[in-house]
Structure formats: structure tokens, C-alpha cells
Amino acid sequence: MSGQGAKIEYVDISKRYGAVEALRPTSLTIEAGEFFSIIGPSGSGKTTLLGVTAGYVPPTSGQIIIDGRNVVGEPPFQRNIGMVFQNYALFPHMTVAENIGFPLRMRKTPRAEIAERVKKMLALVQLEEMASRKPGQLSGGQQQRIALARAAVYDPLMLLMDEPLSALDKNLREAMQDEVKQFQTVLGSTVLYVTHDQAEAAAMSDRIAIMNHGRIVQIGSPRDLYEHPVARFVASFLGEANIFDIESVTPHASGSMIATHHGFSLVCAASGSHDGQCVCVRPEAVALSASRPEHDNVLEGKVVDATYTAGSLRYRVELAPDCIITQRTPSVRGIEMFDTGATVFASWRAEDTLLVDDD
Amino acid sequence: MTWNSSGRLARIFIVAFTVAVLIYLIMPTFVIVPMSFSSKSYLSFPPPGWSLQWYQTMTERHDYPQAFWNSIKIGVPVALLSTTLGTLAALGVVRGRFFGARPMSAIVIAPLMLPQIILAIGLYPIMAKFGLAGSYPGVVIGHTVICIPLVFITVAASLKNYHPAYEYAAMTLGAGWWSTFWHVTFPMIRVGVIVGGILAFTFSFDELIIALFLTSPETRTLPRLLWEDLRQYVTPIIAAATTLVLCISFILFGAVALLQRRLSKASKS
């Protein structure tokens, strides 16, 4: 179980179904041993990219170079890629040990070696005692771990995961995120992880690609994407975003001055044009106070409602008719709360006024 | 009348109605059974007395055992042939992604929907032209045409029962096309294949119209012999032979029911 993962390069890979461009020409490099996630809404092309990589969806054009070899045109069984499916796809008529041993059997590995490697894998996922059970007798989380073991037992060049945790309930899902991440770290595999859950991707990934309408909108570390979204879609898909439409942008001493659609003047540290751009302000960047503070941006509003959840306190404040801003702070013990209807001042730094593409 | 007692009355009515429908469905089939044990030499219900003589006569005559074996000699190859072809057709239509998959499944099922007499009339001159009329291959080919849809339907249902992800999984794990079929697809559709095969055999074993056109006195099947006998002398020997056919059919249907129960249990777990 040494298997360092391989480097994967996509060169102008695309997929067209009739008139529908499921995947526009996309180029992307995933480094060896990287945990790379693709997130996006359904129909964004992420599942197509996965199918093209696994080999059961033939691409319309482009190359996929794994470990220096173009695999386009090779059937799935020659690619030496491991895949974990959404509903695990464990073979119901085989025992757990037979399932994990299946890829080795297909590779004509000697019986004794199969038994040994299956045992090691079962130990890694801590399910040694389940070897002779059928998948139907296991819980969802256990099936998930067996599916991981089966996909990795033959030291594949990379592991593909298609929303592998989506069938689990929330608590188990969070526990499994850590397990999947640890599994990948121990094996040193290159992982391509597809999910629509941005929090899940952020928790595990080295880098994330956000897809929409068949193309990658932005690639970056979870922090990059959250702090520096390039587009409105990225800003709203990854966490929460307050978006302001722009009327005009004028240069200013410390960046630019933005007049918004609702008639507010915002100070922004960056300079930009207003063509096809909008403003994004993260809820955490906003502070609320009862009296007018000294700050780069200050807007007056009324509290619409407050939601207290484990970890955070979230306010919605009406700044103007049809214009509600969301604010979030950690819900620390004894925090003072504003009443609904109270007049408050929302403020933030010029650096937190982000200019993003309005797509 | 309270709501409760009217509810009970309704339930009694439903049970009585269900029993009546079941009797209506099954009774005509079973009337033949007591008639086969008749002591007299004509068919009557209820039989005036009891005897096993007609079963003895049936086995002593040469034509009944021969027709029985003919039915088996035709039914078994029909089952094997239509199981193979029907399974392949279902795999192609359900799993294949090609233009015309839908119309193709309609064409495969068509022989089952069309009147058998049309098929029989159409098959006869073709078989005659190839010199197959009256031969075993002739009637086997004829029956297989109708039995392929039976297998196609049961196997297609099994294939639609699970997501192709199992096959993708097998392939990413290194199984080639044949290994994927043998180790993954076939075990998952096995019950559908066996049920289809049994239905095919049962159909061929009971079938009359195509047998009338395509068998000769040498290859005559049991249903054809029964039909010919009926036109001449109506003796309880017909009832005895029919009871035999009935027993075989029921054993096979019982096997189908058992297999399907296993299938539904397996898909639940």
C-alpha cells in the first residue's frame, strides 16, 4: 500500500450531447497526491468530467494525460483508476472480502496475495470483522468504507469519488469527511472528488474547481475561493454573499467609489469598471452597531430577524426596500442581541467590498 | 348502523368478492382434474365413479408418451435458445445507448402481441421452402419467435431494477466486457433469466397453433395430440393428459413464484 498518486492533465477536454455542451473545452492539471474537488450545481458538467475520466463517457475532443499517458480511447478497465460511486455500487452477491478482492482477481493476482491485501485494506478501514458479510448487512457508513477499500486496494493511479457521502446523514457525513481525508493522506492518492456540497469540498480539498454551465468558473484553495471570488456565481455558491448591483464606479483616493443600484455609496479598496461587475460583501465582514461607527462603509437599516444557531448568530437587516443585507457573528456566550425592528448601522472595511463579475 | 359495523360488513363483502373471483379464475382449470379419474369412458362432471384406468391407458398407448417426449424435445431447446437471444436483446436495448433502442424493443415484443395464427400462417410457407416444415428445428424456430419476448421482458425488468453503476464499477475495477457480464451483470439478472427460461418452456409446452402448422405426426406435440383426439373420441384420457400438463405447468409456475420471492428479498436487503 505505497502507491503514490499520479498527476492528471486535462487538455481541452469536452463533451457534447447533440446540441448540448455538457462540458466545454476544459484544461486542468491535478498534481500528484492532490485532493482536488469539483463543485457545482446539477448539470454544471462535473459528473460528465468524472465519467470522461473514468472512461464510461467518451469525450468529444481533448486529451486526458494520466502519468504521462493519454487515456482517451481506452476502456475503463485499462485505465487503472479507482472509483467510489454515490450509492457505493458494492456487488450485492459478493461478500465484503470478495468485493475488495474483485479488482485484484481481475488482475489475476495470486490468491494468497489477494487475501493478504484484502486483509490489510480491511484493517485500514477498521472493518476486519465484516469480511464475510454481504454488503446488504452493513450500515451506510460501513458500505462507504468498503467501497473506498475496494477502489484503492490495487493502488490505482487516481481515485475518483462521485458524491460518495451524499447518501449518509449529516453527522455521519461529517465524520466520514475526516476518514476519507485521512485515507487519502495515508495512501498518498490523487483524488478527484465531485460534490454539490461546498462545505464538504472545503473541508477536505487542497484545491476546488467551481463549475457552472459546463465550464470551470474558478479554481483555487477553499480560502482563495471564499475570500477572492471572481464571479457572482462563485460568491453565492460558496457560502453566503451580499450582492449589490452597480450603477457607476469612480476612481477614489484609496481605490474606487461605487454607486449601487439602491443609491448607496460604497468605498472599495480595489479599482474596477462597472461593466458586468457587481459588489459582494461576506456576512462575516459586516459589523452591526447601535450607533453610527467611524468606518469605510456605513449603512443604516432595520433588523428584520435574527437567527441563533450553534456557532453563529445571523441577522438580516433591511437597508432599503428590496435590499436586505445578511450579517453573521460567532454566537459567543452572553452576546448582546438586537431586537427585531431596531435601527442599526452595518459597517465594513473598504477591503471587504469585493468587485466580482456579474455573470 | 354504526361506522364500525358498516366497516366490518364492507370487509366481509370484499373477502367474499375476492374468493368468488379467485374461484372464477381457477375453477375451470381444475374441473378437468376430477374428470380424469372417471370410471366411465366419456367426459362428465362430476364423474360418476372413480378410477385410474385412463392414466394407465394413456401410458400404454404409444402416441401419448411420444407426444409428451416431443413436447419436451421441443420445449427444452426453445427455452435455451430464447433465453440466450432474449437476454442478449434485453442487454442491448436496456444498456446500449443507440438510436432506435425504443422501436427495437417494440419489435422484439411484437410476436407476443400479434395473433399467433398470423405468425403460424406466415411461418409455414417459409419453413416449407427451407424444408423445415414438420421437423424439430422448424417448430423450435417458430416457438422461439414468441418466447424471445417472454425472456426479453423478464430480463429487461431485472436490468432496469438496478443502476448501471454496478457495471461501471466493475469496469473501473479492471473487469473487461466479458468479466463484467459474467461476474456482475449475470448474477444480478440471474433470476430474471431463469424465470424467462421457465416461462419460455411452459409456453412451448402448452402451445397449439404453431404446433398445428409446423409439426408432423412424428414431431407432434402433446397439445396437438390432445386437439386431434378431441375431434374424434372424447374420452377421459384427454383429461388425464391435460392433468399431466397442468401438473408440469404448476410445478414450473411454483418455481417461478419461489424465484421471484427470492429476487424481491434480495433487492430489499
Side-chain angles (χ1 to χ4, degrees):
Chain A
M1 278 185 282
S2 52
Q4 274 290 320
K7 175 178 170 181
I8 295 100
E9 285 173 84
Y10 296 88
V11 184
D12 287 329
I13 197 85
S14 75
K15 177 63 184 177
R16 180 188 283 277
Y17 292 101
V20 184
E21 266 195 304
L23 183 64
R24 288 163 206 260
T26 298
S27 295
L28 168 70
T29 302
I30 302 175
E31 299 300 332
E34 188 175 16
F35 198 117
F36 193 95
S37 289
I38 298 181
I39 60 175
S42 34
S44 59
K46 58 188 197 301
T47 308
T48 305
L49 188 64
L50 202 72
V52 164
T53 312
Y56 58 82
V57 176
T60 307
S61 71
Q63 293 187 317
I64 303 171
I65 296 156
I66 303 181
D67 211 17
R69 179 175 55 110
N70 180 18
V71 298
V72 168
E74 282 184 11
F77 46 84
Q78 284 173 9
R79 293 193 180 190
N80 203 22
I81 288 173
M83 179 151 177
V84 180
F85 289 81
Q86 195 167 6
N87 292 310
Y88 325 129
L90 293 173
F91 306 131
H93 53 282
M94 296 183 198
T95 64
V96 163
E98 283 166 350
N99 263 286
I100 300 177
F102 183 80
L104 299 174
R105 217 172 118 208
M106 291 301 114
R107 285 166 173 74
K108 309 235 183 327
T109 310
R111 269 167 188 276
E113 195 190 331
I114 295 183
E116 190 194 333
R117 287 172 76 173
V118 167
K119 211 172 149 194
K120 270 192 189 166
M121 227 46 205
L122 278 169
L124 184 65
V125 295
Q126 294 167 15
L127 286 172
E128 290 107 316
E129 69 280 15
M130 299 295 172
S132 54
R133 300 268 185 97
K134 290 278 177 69
Q137 296 167 293
L138 305 183
S139 71
Q142 289 170 334
Q143 289 185 40
Q144 185 53 69
R145 279 142 75 187
I146 298 303
L148 270 176
R150 185 180 68 174
V153 70
Y154 51 101
D155 293 335
L157 295 168
M158 72 181 302
L159 281 173
L160 301 176
M161 303 196 191
D162 183 12
E163 311 219 4
L165 306 182
S166 61
L168 305 175
D169 63 53
K170 192 173 173 291
N171 287 336
L172 188 55
R173 197 159 63 222
E174 279 167 13
M176 279 303 293
Q177 285 173 9
D178 298 341
E179 280 198 39
V180 170
K181 180 67 191 170
Q182 202 199 339
F183 188 84
Q184 182 255 347
T185 312
V186 169
L187 296 181
S189 324
T190 309
V191 170
L192 178 61
Y193 192 99
V194 165
T195 179
H196 62 265
D197 183 340
Q198 49 92 14
E200 189 176 295
M204 294 187 282
S205 312
D206 297 314
R207 283 192 302 158
I208 298 175
I210 299 194
M211 293 191 74
N212 197 23
H213 301 311
R215 64 185 183 91
I216 294 176
V217 184
Q218 191 176 359
I219 299 177
S221 69
R223 181 171 181 174
D224 268 350
L225 294 183
Y226 191 71
E227 293 185 2
H228 308 288
V230 296
R232 180 183 187 143
F233 174 77
V234 177
S236 349
F237 195 80
L238 212 72
E240 238 177 327
N242 294 301
I243 303 287
F244 296 92
D245 293 321
I246 298 178
E247 286 296 318
S248 68
V249 179
T250 46
H252 183 261
S254 59
S256 48
M257 199 72 187
I258 299 165
T260 77
H261 184 69
H262 286 95
F264 305 124
S265 289
L266 301 179
V267 184
C268 173
S271 54
S273 67
H274 85 277
D275 280 350
Q277 288 203 304
C278 62
V279 166
C280 161
V281 182
R282 291 296 186 188
E284 297 82 3
V286 179
L288 291 185
S289 50
S291 56
R292 182 177 287 273
E294 271 304 311
H295 218 329
D296 299 339
N297 294 289
V298 181
L299 297 175
E300 188 182 335
K302 276 193 163 49
V303 173
V304 178
D305 56 29
T307 322
Y308 187 103
T309 57
S312 77
L313 175 58
R314 181 175 174 270
Y315 283 104
R316 295 199 308 143
V317 177
E318 189 177 60
L319 302 175
D322 295 336
C323 183
I324 288 175
I325 191 172
T326 305
Q327 189 266 353
R328 205 198 307 264
T329 43
S331 54
V332 289
R333 223 159 77 93
I335 188 171
E336 198 182 322
M337 287 177 69
F338 296 104
D339 294 327
T340 303
T343 299
V344 291
F345 294 90
S347 59
W348 64 87
R349 299 179 303 167
E351 296 80 50
D352 289 320
T353 306
L354 306 174
L355 272 169
V356 300
D357 287 340
D358 187 11
D359 50 4
Chain B
M1 201 190 278
T2 67
W3 192 89
N4 219 354
S5 67
S6 79
R8 192 183 305 147
L9 225 106
R11 194 154 50 220
I12 290 169
F13 174 75
I14 288 169
V15 169
F17 182 74
T18 309
V19 169
V21 170
L22 288 176
I23 289 172
Y24 167 72
L25 287 174
I26 294 172
M27 269 310 275
T29 311
F30 282 103
V31 165
I32 201 88
V33 178
M35 292 202 295
S36 71
F37 296 103
S38 175
S39 58
K40 290 286 186 293
S41 65
Y42 51 88
L43 278 176
S44 61
F45 186 81
W50 303 99
S51 148
L52 282 172
Q53 57 173 317
W54 298 109
Y55 285 88
Q56 196 187 351
T57 317
M58 179 174 71
T59 51
E60 279 165 0
R61 271 172 63 169
H62 81 281
D63 51 356
Y64 273 95
Q66 194 205 358
F68 178 78
W69 285 118
N70 277 343
S71 282
I72 298 214
K73 274 194 237 170
I74 292 162
V76 170
V78 164
L80 293 176
L81 207 58
S82 51
T83 302
T84 310
L85 295 176
T87 302
L88 290 175
L91 278 170
V93 169
V94 177
R95 286 287 186 264
R97 283 192 215 127
F98 58 92
F99 181 75
R102 265 165 195 276
M104 192 170 283
S105 92
I107 291 171
V108 175
I109 295 172
L112 193 63
M113 308 303 228
L114 297 173
Q116 283 165 35
I117 187 83
I118 293 177
L119 188 65
I121 294 170
L123 275 169
Y124 183 75
I126 297 172
M127 293 300 170
K129 192 170 171 59
F130 289 108
L132 291 174
S135 69
Y136 286 109
V139 68
V140 166
I141 291 170
H143 278 178
T144 302
V145 171
I146 301 190
C147 289
I148 286 174
L150 292 172
V151 178
F152 177 82
I153 290 167
T154 56
V155 175
S158 314
L159 280 171
K160 283 175 187 158
N161 215 6
Y162 71 92
H163 196 270
Y166 289 98
E167 281 134 22
Y168 297 158
M171 282 191 221
T172 60
L173 294 170
W177 311 111
W178 174 248
S179 295
T180 299
F181 175 77
W182 191 244
H183 293 292
V184 176
T185 311
F186 184 69
M188 308 220 10
I189 61 172
R190 187 171 49 207
V191 172
V193 173
I194 296 171
V195 168
I198 292 174
L199 289 178
F201 177 83
T202 317
F203 178 88
S204 167
F205 199 76
D206 294 346
E207 201 280 335
L208 174 63
I209 297 169
I210 290 171
L212 277 179
F213 278 77
L214 294 180
T215 58
S216 63
E218 285 75 48
T219 57
R220 180 168 60 187
T221 60
L222 198 53
R224 177 170 176 177
L225 177 63
L226 284 169
W227 187 78
E228 286 171 358
D229 248 12
L230 265 171
R231 299 202 306 175
Q232 289 162 22
Y233 12 79
V234 184
T235 59
I237 195 169
I238 288 165
T242 311
T243 305
L244 187 69
V245 173
L246 203 60
C247 283
I248 290 171
S249 299
F250 269 97
I251 289 167
L252 292 175
F253 283 134
V256 169
L258 270 173
L259 281 168
Q260 277 172 336
R261 216 179 61 178
R262 255 187 59 184
L263 180 72
S264 69
K265 254 191 204 160
S267 69
K268 256 177 229 157
S269 71

